[in-house]
Amino acid sequence: MTLSRRIFLSKSMHLATASVAANLLPVSGIAQEIIYGPQTEIAQLHWNENYYGPSPAAIQAMQESALKGAYYPDPIIKKLIAMIAEQHDLGIKNITVSAGSTQALSYLAQVKSRENPIVTTQLGWDTHLSYAQNIGGVIVRVDNGDNLEINLADIESITNKNISSVSIVNPNNPTGLLINANELRTSVIKMSKKALVIVDEAYNEITDEPEVNSMISLVNEGHNVAISRTFSKIYGLAGERVGYIIAQPDVIESIKKNGGSEFAVSLAGAAGAVASYNDDNFLKYSKSKIIEAREMVNEAVQLNGLTALPSQTNFVFVNLGNIDADDFRDEMLKHKVLIRGKYGNFNNWSRVSMGNIEDVQRYVDAIPEVLNNLNNKVMT
């Protein structure tokens, strides 16, 4: 097992992706034209967004709330918290909402990093941890397994050594892998006796069995566990910035006391979240389109001689063999398909998100030519 205290280059990768995308955007006219979302000619498949949201109900609610934009959002935020509490048989003191799950997770990471180091995995979404490191926090990273799975046993062994918290993303980003629910539950309970265990469930609703895979029940049972969720993924509200954390009341209070104000959520965002929360028809439709796109990508990957990890999310992590992921990203960009480049030292792994079917088809159609061009470069 190798431990590393380096941050996982989250900020630099985001900047690099933004820089690559910017090359496609004309400089002239930017000041004159207002654009919501991606340019029409770009297949934007790099940020795990859900093209099929917001739902019609959410759009209507946000439009109506815009007429009351002069007022603070307290009542609708309280409504949202009450809905979440009722859904999971929790008290309102177990929940706080924030501007996406990132905001509350970032404040929580900074709080815990002042106490002792935070343990996490080499491969995993970690923007919030970079903020903790920026204020002097120490992040200890545990290597993933041979198949890029999360090494729970290795994380457990470190958790006994003056660790403030453990951060796990499940299903994982960028791998898309899901930890067995029983194994995770047993491990989380054991680790929570020594440290706060934070499980990011941003993609939980996309998994085959969301209720089985969630660790929220551990909060009900009184364990020292915090679960983060977001409206950015299955609900298609990434631009509205609404997320929430479920934890014991003392953890929720620590977030609020250290800057995690619920005022950061907009009236329109909260209105859209309330309208979306129990919209089962939209959630089923949204999930079906994600799965349809995922099957398209998996089939194309296999037909082109590549492999991919089994994903339970709205993205796929593709093994490119001897091809560099940044080169693959840049070549895809020539086809106006925007995907992610490499993650740290995982040079040959490429993540592609599930956008609308037409954009995913553009990615699928471009694979043969992109691989051919890159293989020719490798040979020469």
Side-chain angles (χ1 to χ4, degrees):
M1 177 179 61
T2 301
L3 298 183
S4 171
R5 294 189 176 189
R6 65 176 175 78
I7 199 64
F8 196 56
L9 305 176
S10 291
K11 286 186 175 180
S12 60
M13 288 190 295
H14 277 296
L15 291 172
T17 302
S19 176
V20 171
N23 292 331
L24 287 178
L25 304 180
V27 175
S28 61
I30 288 179
Q32 291 78 23
E33 186 178 8
I34 297 176
I35 299 173
Y36 304 109
Q39 295 267 339
T40 54
E41 71 272 19
I42 303 296
Q44 185 163 297
L45 304 177
H46 70 314
W47 274 342
N48 300 346
E49 297 152 325
N50 178 14
Y51 168 85
Y52 294 95
S55 71
I59 292 172
Q60 180 179 346
M62 290 188 290
Q63 288 174 336
E64 292 175 0
S65 70
L67 300 175
K68 301 294 183 180
Y71 301 98
Y72 287 116
D74 297 54
I76 196 69
I77 288 175
K78 290 179 180 177
K79 170 68 174 175
L80 178 59
I81 291 174
M83 291 175 71
I84 296 169
E86 181 180 10
Q87 176 73 27
H88 298 289
D89 195 25
L90 292 160
I92 60 173
K93 291 185 178 180
N94 291 110
I95 301 160
T96 186
V97 298
S98 64
S101 57
T102 302
Q103 184 202 32
L105 283 170
S106 298
Y107 287 123
L108 184 56
Q110 291 176 64
V111 169
K112 301 310 291 183
S113 69
R114 296 188 192 109
E115 301 171 6
N116 272 312
I118 298 173
V119 174
T120 191
T121 57
Q122 284 287 4
L123 270 173
W125 177 84
D126 61 357
T127 299
H128 59 307
L129 299 180
S130 69
Y131 297 137
Q133 190 177 51
N134 286 343
I135 64 168
V138 174
I139 311 301
V140 180
R141 297 183 177 279
V142 177
D143 282 348
N144 293 66
D146 293 338
N147 297 312
L148 303 188
E149 74 279 6
I150 290 176
N151 259 322
L152 287 176
D154 288 348
I155 295 175
E156 284 179 29
S157 68
I158 300 300
T159 307
N160 294 322
K161 302 174 182 178
N162 298 320
I163 294 299
S164 69
S165 59
V166 176
S167 180
I168 295 173
V169 183
N170 189 55
N172 184 261
N173 177 13
T175 67
L177 295 175
L178 179 70
I179 304 172
N180 175 273
N182 290 330
E183 292 178 12
L184 181 59
R185 179 182 174 85
T186 300
S187 182
V188 169
I189 291 174
K190 188 183 300 183
M191 291 188 289
S192 69
K193 299 181 187 303
K194 301 287 185 178
L196 173 67
V197 182
I198 305 165
V199 183
D200 182 352
E201 295 185 349
Y203 304 94
N204 170 268
E205 295 92 347
I206 303 173
T207 66
D208 291 341
E209 297 181 288
E211 291 186 12
V212 172
N213 296 319
S214 178
M215 296 295 113
I216 290 177
S217 63
L218 296 181
V219 178
N220 301 66
E221 296 169 16
H223 296 288
N224 191 25
V225 178
I227 310 298
S228 67
R229 292 282 188 90
T230 182
F231 285 88
S232 296
K233 307 306 177 184
I234 189 72
Y235 294 98
L237 288 168
E240 298 302 328
R241 313 307 304 130
V242 186
Y244 57 99
I245 283 186
I246 295 175
Q248 301 305 331
D250 64 311
V251 175
I252 299 299
E253 274 303 303
S254 72
I255 295 171
K256 292 181 177 180
K257 288 180 178 178
N258 287 274
S261 171
E262 292 165 353
F263 268 151
V265 178
S266 70
L267 177 64
V274 166
S276 300
Y277 192 60
N278 293 319
D279 190 346
D280 291 337
N281 288 334
F282 170 73
L283 294 180
K284 289 177 182 177
Y285 170 73
S286 182
K287 188 171 180 176
S288 71
K289 301 305 289 186
I290 290 170
I291 293 173
E292 179 183 352
R294 203 168 65 199
E295 290 174 350
M296 289 170 59
V297 170
N298 284 327
E299 182 180 359
V301 164
Q302 185 176 6
L303 287 174
N304 285 279
L306 303 175
T307 60
L309 295 179
S311 174
Q312 285 275 294
T313 62
N314 64 338
F315 54 86
V316 175
F317 209 39
V318 181
N319 187 345
L320 300 173
N322 63 344
I323 291 175
D324 183 88
D326 282 353
D327 292 339
F328 187 75
R329 175 202 62 196
D330 295 346
E331 197 69 25
M332 273 287 174
L333 201 53
K334 295 177 183 178
H335 295 263
K336 297 187 177 181
V337 177
L338 185 57
I339 60 173
R340 285 298 298 266
K342 63 186 179 184
Y343 284 78
N345 294 324
F346 296 83
N347 298 335
N348 63 316
W349 287 91
S350 171
R351 194 194 73 184
V352 56
S353 304
M354 304 301 101
N356 69 67
I357 298 301
E358 291 76 13
D359 284 349
V360 173
Q361 187 64 54
R362 289 167 63 182
Y363 168 83
V364 166
D365 292 342
I367 291 176
E369 183 176 343
V370 167
L371 290 178
N372 183 61
N373 291 342
L374 292 175
N375 282 322
N376 288 337
K377 288 182 181 179
V378 170
M379 292 175 63
T380 56

